[in-house]
Amino acid sequence: MSIRRFWSAPKAVGDVNMVTEELKNLYYKRLLPIEKHYSFHHFHSPSYEDADFDNKPMVLVMGQYSTGKTTFIRYLIEQDFLGSRVGPEPTTDCFTAVMHGESEGIIPGNALTVDPKKPFRNLDPFGNSFLNRFQCVHMPNQVLENISIIDTPGILTAAKRKLSRGYDFPAVLRWFAERVDRIILLFDAHKLEFSDELTRAFGALFGYEDKLRVVLNKADRVDSQQLMRVYGALMWSLGKVFRTPEILRVYIGSFWSEPRQMCDHYQLIELEEEDLLADIRNLPRNAAVRKLNDLVKRARLLRAHAHIISYLKQEMPTIFCKESKKHNLIYQLPVIFTKIQQQHRVPAGDFPDCTKMQEKLLGQDFSKFKTLKASHLASLDKLLTTDIANLVPLLQQQEMKKKSLPSVLDAEFLGTFRRDHYRRDPFKELPKDNESNESEFDEWVVEKYKPKYDEIFYNLSPNDGKLSGTKVREWMTTTLLPNSVLAHIWRLSDVDGDGMLDNEEFALAVHLIEGKLEGYYLPRELPCHLVPPSKRLGSTSDVSV
């Protein structure tokens, strides 16, 4: 298998705007009126808005402090974002939505809740204590054109569990968990600890385990024996907390683009990284499927909720002993759930959490509840049996068209994390304002280092003046840079796209690697002044592809 095929990105699929519009119409016509009739929003999640359907896929990054959450986000978007700071102590004390924008800027939480184009309007009930610790950072970034990322405060350890955040942290996590497409939960291989706040945060994720991806980070800093023990302890602890027969997928990695430490499980780290990045890259193409799935789950919960509210309304007396009857009904709610399951054949999995429902019912006036309407049940049944089924072929048709849908390529998941003003960028294209700059531009900046690079090239025994992808890959991996970084360097260096490198292309590859090891950004596209002379347009030796 050639190196180009090994590092190739997945194909994009069709435009799913049509499906999204159909889902939006179904929600507003069928679900929303029934939700309002049975006060669904007082007990469960707020109503959906246009932004919830139109928004890009979102990734929620969470974990205890100093597990590498902010560094992981920087790794994905290949640059710093405003307000980010990295350190061994708790450095992130607020929720930060990192989103695409034409220019860099920060929008505070209170302003976000009144912006109809942002999917955060329903966060207003959490109050100023939360909104003062919530912000949106917008910036021009190619990755953020396809996904948005939510950075979260570090979950406190047992030693700090008595500190109060001033808002309901698990409730906020659950709000985001319902709306995001993927939840990345990071653990540090050096300090595996399950605190009280972490356990409560897990409770907020119940029901959304399908979105969860667990990452055991900084795995190159421990040896294989320690890694095996930490991995086993993590799996055992997760099994106790989630109590599900399904085993959560745990990725082992070291998610930053600096050279990793050599270890016995280095290849495992590379493979795990590729799996996780592939999962994230597929989020834009699967966005419509996720929205359809969430709408079905909401409709099934609404059907169970309507039966519950109607039963409580029918059991309430007209005049006397209303309060005592109300408390008796709340106490008997588990029995009521069972009766509804048997009488109306509502699956047990469609019902809400009984304890939380009891807590919400304590503050409600049962006399204001509405009785069940047969037309509402018929509308819900039609949605679940007919309308949603009609959308599935539409999704398949869009899949067959294979039109261009922006997706995150692995070339976007690269970079180091130093701001441009710290040092001059050697890969930045030179200006061409005058003749002197024009002559400087015509020079190949790699030329003065080429004798050193040629020595490496010929020591690798080229065939017919070129090195195969296999030989180049074997040499590249000795630098200990992540595979995703080396993949990008390969794509930039193989200018003629023949799957092999000649001496000029190889010199370019070594030059990019050396710059990367010194902490510079890699260019997304190869600047003209870095293109080898024989590959430039107009060159007599230019190779046509």
Side-chain angles (χ1 to χ4, degrees):
M1 181 170 59
S2 69
I3 190 170
R4 291 177 60 80
R5 288 183 59 193
F6 183 80
W7 278 332
S8 62
K11 294 182 179 179
V13 295
D15 185 8
V16 294
N17 289 337
M18 188 183 303
V19 179
T20 301
E21 287 299 320
E22 288 296 325
L23 288 174
K24 191 187 303 185
N25 291 335
L26 286 176
Y27 176 75
Y28 287 136
K29 290 180 180 179
R30 295 202 182 278
L31 284 189
L32 187 57
I34 303 175
E35 289 180 1
K36 292 179 178 179
H37 186 80
Y38 297 104
S39 304
F40 181 84
H41 310 133
H42 295 304
F43 296 90
H44 308 290
S45 60
S47 60
Y48 286 165
E49 298 185 345
D50 284 352
D52 292 305
F53 292 96
D54 300 332
N55 192 57
K56 302 179 183 71
M58 290 194 293
V59 178
L60 180 70
V61 181
M62 55 181 291
Q64 293 177 305
Y65 76 89
S66 192
T67 54
K69 297 184 299 298
T70 303
T71 302
F72 179 80
I73 295 173
R74 289 173 167 183
Y75 179 66
L76 296 186
I77 66 175
E78 201 195 357
Q79 66 181 101
D80 285 324
F81 57 92
L82 293 176
S84 65
R85 190 164 65 90
V86 174
E89 76 284 0
T91 54
T92 303
D93 65 346
C94 64
F95 285 79
T96 301
V98 187
M99 309 183 77
H100 183 265
E102 297 301 324
S103 60
E104 288 195 23
I106 297 179
I107 305 175
N110 282 288
L112 282 173
T113 59
V114 296
D115 187 351
K117 296 182 179 180
K118 295 287 192 298
F120 306 121
R121 286 163 58 91
N122 290 318
L123 283 168
D124 188 67
F126 291 107
N128 278 328
S129 295
F130 166 71
L131 295 177
N132 290 335
R133 293 174 176 83
F134 178 50
Q135 61 183 8
C136 174
V137 174
H138 54 85
M139 57 197 298
N141 183 279
Q142 290 184 1
V143 173
L144 299 178
E145 291 177 3
N146 306 300
I147 61 173
S148 300
I149 306 173
I150 313 295
D151 193 11
T152 62
I155 297 173
L156 301 177
T157 59
K160 298 179 175 61
R161 66 179 180 272
K162 294 182 180 180
L163 296 177
S164 173
R165 294 184 182 271
Y167 60 92
D168 193 340
F169 181 66
V172 174
L173 286 179
R174 186 163 185 84
W175 188 95
F176 279 106
E178 181 184 353
R179 288 161 175 79
V180 300
D181 295 73
R182 189 67 74 236
I183 304 169
I184 306 295
L185 177 59
L186 290 164
F187 287 94
D188 190 334
H190 289 89
K191 51 173 188 178
L192 193 61
E193 181 182 8
F194 277 60
S195 63
D196 292 346
E197 188 172 58
L198 182 61
T199 304
R200 291 194 296 271
F202 283 152
L205 304 181
F206 283 149
Y208 304 105
E209 291 86 355
D210 58 317
K211 301 179 181 180
L212 184 61
R213 302 292 183 270
V214 182
V215 177
L216 186 58
N217 202 18
K218 307 179 185 180
D220 63 328
R221 267 50 178 179
V222 297
D223 59 37
S224 297
Q225 184 181 26
Q226 292 171 328
L227 179 64
M228 180 181 66
R229 290 175 175 172
V230 171
Y231 182 84
L234 176 59
M235 295 297 292
W236 181 79
S237 300
L238 290 173
K240 285 183 61 180
V241 172
F242 285 99
R243 298 177 183 177
T244 58
E246 297 84 5
I247 299 176
L248 291 173
R249 170 69 190 270
V250 177
Y251 295 86
I252 297 170
S254 182
F255 287 94
W256 64 337
S257 64
E258 300 291 342
R260 299 189 177 108
Q261 294 185 8
M262 179 53 73
C263 52
D264 294 338
H265 48 276
Y266 186 88
Q267 186 177 7
L268 174 64
I269 291 176
E270 295 286 3
L271 293 173
E272 293 283 281
E273 176 196 35
E274 291 168 10
D275 286 350
L276 181 60
L277 295 188
D279 183 73
I280 297 175
R281 287 201 306 273
N282 286 329
L283 290 180
R285 73 161 74 177
N286 296 329
V289 178
R290 196 273 302 172
K291 291 172 184 175
L292 185 146
N293 182 62
D294 286 351
L295 192 69
V296 171
K297 288 168 63 176
R298 191 177 181 94
R300 296 175 72 95
L301 176 61
L302 175 58
R303 182 174 58 184
H305 174 80
H307 281 294
I308 295 168
I309 295 301
S310 175
Y311 185 94
L312 296 176
K313 171 67 175 179
Q314 292 175 353
E315 294 295 315
M316 283 295 291
T318 306
I319 301 176
F320 301 107
C321 303
K322 287 186 176 181
E323 198 63 25
S324 61
K325 183 62 175 179
K326 170 184 171 180
H327 285 86
N328 287 336
L329 289 172
I330 294 175
Y331 179 76
Q332 296 174 2
L333 195 61
V335 179
I336 294 173
F337 279 14
T338 304
K339 288 182 179 179
I340 294 173
Q341 292 175 36
Q342 295 173 349
Q343 293 177 4
H344 302 283
R345 297 181 180 179
V346 179
D350 291 355
F351 283 82
D353 181 88
C354 187
T355 303
K356 292 182 179 179
M357 189 71 177
Q358 287 173 320
E359 294 174 359
K360 294 287 181 66
L361 286 170
L362 286 172
Q364 298 294 321
D365 183 359
F366 287 16
S367 62
K368 295 182 179 180
F369 288 171
K370 305 293 179 62
T371 55
L372 194 64
K373 290 186 177 180
S375 59
H376 287 163
L377 283 181
S379 180
L380 285 174
D381 288 339
K382 186 176 186 299
L383 172 71
L384 293 170
T385 58
T386 306
D387 296 332
I388 296 297
N390 291 337
L391 280 180
V392 174
L394 185 59
L395 274 175
Q396 295 173 345
Q397 291 174 12
Q398 299 297 338
E399 177 92 12
M400 293 174 62
K401 290 181 181 179
K402 291 186 177 180
K403 292 182 180 177
S404 175
L405 174 68
S407 63
V408 180
L409 304 176
D410 42 355
E412 311 298 339
F413 292 93
L414 312 170
T416 51
F417 316 121
R418 302 178 184 178
R419 291 188 179 275
D420 285 334
H421 62 259
Y422 286 164
R423 55 173 68 192
R424 181 178 175 273
D425 185 352
F427 303 134
K428 188 175 181 180
E429 186 159 336
L430 300 173
K432 298 190 292 182
D433 297 333
N434 50 49
E435 292 183 1
S436 61
N437 280 338
E438 188 74 43
S439 61
E440 184 181 2
F441 174 81
D442 288 337
E443 296 179 0
W444 189 35
V445 296
V446 184
E447 188 66 43
K448 58 182 176 180
Y449 308 106
K450 195 168 182 297
K452 178 179 66 173
Y453 300 154
D454 282 346
E455 184 178 352
I456 303 173
F457 178 80
Y458 289 108
N459 283 337
L460 293 174
S461 303
N463 186 18
D464 293 332
K466 292 192 175 186
L467 288 173
S468 66
T470 303
K471 285 186 177 181
V472 175
R473 187 175 191 273
E474 288 175 357
W475 180 84
M476 278 183 165
T477 53
T478 62
T479 64
L480 302 185
L481 285 169
N483 265 356
S484 55
V485 176
L486 297 179
H488 187 43
I489 292 173
W490 169 268
R491 283 190 291 271
L492 293 174
S493 305
D494 186 15
V495 181
D496 56 17
D498 64 352
M500 297 183 288
L501 300 187
D502 59 24
N503 62 338
E504 288 186 340
E505 292 173 323
F506 183 79
L508 172 61
V510 182
H511 181 69
L512 294 173
I513 287 174
E514 287 185 348
K516 187 65 178 176
L517 291 173
E518 291 179 12
Y520 297 111
Y521 283 113
L522 286 173
R524 293 189 182 277
E525 301 294 337
L526 192 64
C528 294
H529 73 286
L530 283 179
V531 176
S534 65
K535 304 297 188 294
R536 295 181 182 180
L537 293 176
S539 172
T540 56
S541 58
D542 186 42
V543 179
S544 61
V545 181

